[in-house]
Amino acid sequence: MKPSWLRQATVRIARSALACTVLALAAPGHVLASDQFHALLIERPKVDVKIPMIIIGLEKGSQREVGAVQAVLENSAACNLGKHCLRFPEDPNTESKVADQYKVFWNRLNDKSMYVSHILTLEGGQGCKLVYTSYDGVSCAAGRVKSMPAKHMESSWDALEVSLKRELLEQYRSECARNRCPTHVFVLATGWNQSEQSSLESYQAWAKNISDDLEVRGGAVRPMFVGISWPANWVVPFISFVNKAHDADEAGFIWGSILVNRPLAQLHRELGLKTVLVGHSFGAKILTSAVAGKELIEPLGCDGESGLTVIGLQAAFSTGRFAMGRGFERNPYRDVRRCGTRLAYTVSTHDEGVRVAPMQIFARETGYVGGKKGFESALLDPDIFVRSKADSAAGLVLEPPGASPSGRILLIDSSTGIHCHNDVADPFVAHLISSVVLGEYSGREGVLDMDDVCKHR
């Protein structure tokens, strides 16, 4: 007879293999490995763009072709002299949770790195403006791409710090000329198994519902939208899930951190523009890692309030990333609440994906944030988390009554309106997002599944 630990491990592996199949079938816009993550560069959007937005495209390539991000010791003068590089601890025994979780050796083992391949502005309808591309001889929706020049890594930093910031400033001034100066930049990120086209569909649904809800609630928040497209799928489901879990960290800790802590932080200081990060599943992982990764980009410290709000929709990572001393991931998100950053995550008992996700094979003390196990795990850390429930009658109720989300991470039991892992793009969720941004914490009755999004159940 098998030992009990072996039986438990076998059951967990079987559940995780099943989870990969469920999540692969569940993902809207299910894609194949051959799909291109620069699709919008070579073809028109397959959806009618009603809400203008900027798309940041990330791709992954051999380090021999695209280069590698340079890493230096934190006390080195290199990063202070304009060189593009990450900062790692001087003392290898230093407990840098972020540096550990980034798993820099993972990249070296598979000899691939992620880089910014393009930035586009989708202007409405089929209109498209090329802001930046690492490809030679290409224009927006030109029909094909040519070879890529060298030094992708160096140009990727400038793509975000220079080209993207310039485009955001241009859009801001254009809106101000119409007496509608934007107040917030919403950065959106989808999760596993998404193509660039399917991500755009999700972003358009989010942007429309969020914009409509904010307008109904007085229009004090006027959003601009940025979507992140990243290489989120691979051909083998189980290996793909594990591989893309690492890729989500890379996308967040490096390029997400540069985006949040350089151009967006600068626009907050210069114009008062606040940033709202909205991610689903691994997209929530990308954007939470973007906040946590500040220490890889620049010395820690607060130059006033961050102006950041992070909203994770059915987040696919362990609650142990926040908690000291629990879980196997060494709490890389321990400092995300610094500088007044606000964080909120939806939870649903109906989320079949995070309940049996592969990375939970080893998560004995914690669970994924978006699921029931993660919610129960969070109850052990009342100094870190505060609970709430989206009640159809009373709105968003903090628990216990009279509790305050100030300085803590808000977990929202959204089971009344989120009926499966991907049920996150409807007016119910948009209203929750608006409530968190406005700090009003008023809910809305859950809505029926839209576009048959939960048909796989």
Side-chain angles (χ1 to χ4, degrees), residues 149 185 209 213 245 249 255 364 389:
V185 179
N209 287 328
D213 195 82
D249 273 335
W255 304 114
R364 299 180 181 181
K389 184 173 182 178

Side-chain angles (χ1 to χ4, degrees), residues 247-263:
D247 282 356
D249 273 335
E250 181 181 356
F253 281 131
I254 300 180
W255 304 114
S257 291
I258 295 169
L259 170 66
V260 168
N261 295 297
R262 293 290 175 81

Side-chain angles (χ1 to χ4, degrees), residues 34-91:
S34 59
D35 284 324
Q36 296 167 309
F37 293 99
H38 52 262
L40 295 177
L41 269 177
I42 60 175
E43 59 188 34
R44 298 293 181 186
K46 293 182 179 178
V47 296
D48 188 28
V49 175
K50 299 183 182 301
I51 307 292
M53 61 178 49
I54 298 171
I55 298 294
I56 300 171
L58 302 178
E59 295 189 52
K60 196 173 181 182
S62 166
Q63 292 183 4
R64 292 187 299 275
E65 298 177 358
V66 305
V69 176
Q70 298 300 308
V72 301
L73 297 177
E74 62 183 349
N75 292 331
S76 169
C79 285
N80 298 322
L81 296 175
K83 182 177 176 61
H84 294 149
C85 50
L86 303 179
R87 306 163 59 91
F88 282 88
E90 186 81 38
D91 182 354

Side-chain angles (χ1 to χ4, degrees), residues 192-193 232-245 282:
W192 184 48
N193 225 29
N233 65 285
W234 197 42
V235 67
V236 183
F238 184 87
I239 299 175
S240 170
F241 188 93
V242 177
N243 179 274
K244 295 311 169 183
F282 277 167

Side-chain angles (χ1 to χ4, degrees), residues 183-188 210 221 223-226 264 273-279 287 307-311 342 433-434 436-438:
T183 60
H184 293 66
V185 179
F186 281 67
V187 180
L188 314 175
I210 291 170
V221 173
M224 303 166 65
F225 291 98
V226 175
L264 295 181
L273 271 173
K274 296 182 178 181
T275 298
V276 181
L277 308 176
V278 180
L287 296 178
L308 285 173
T309 299
V310 181
I311 302 173
R342 299 188 301 153
I433 292 170
S434 299
V436 173
V437 173
L438 292 168

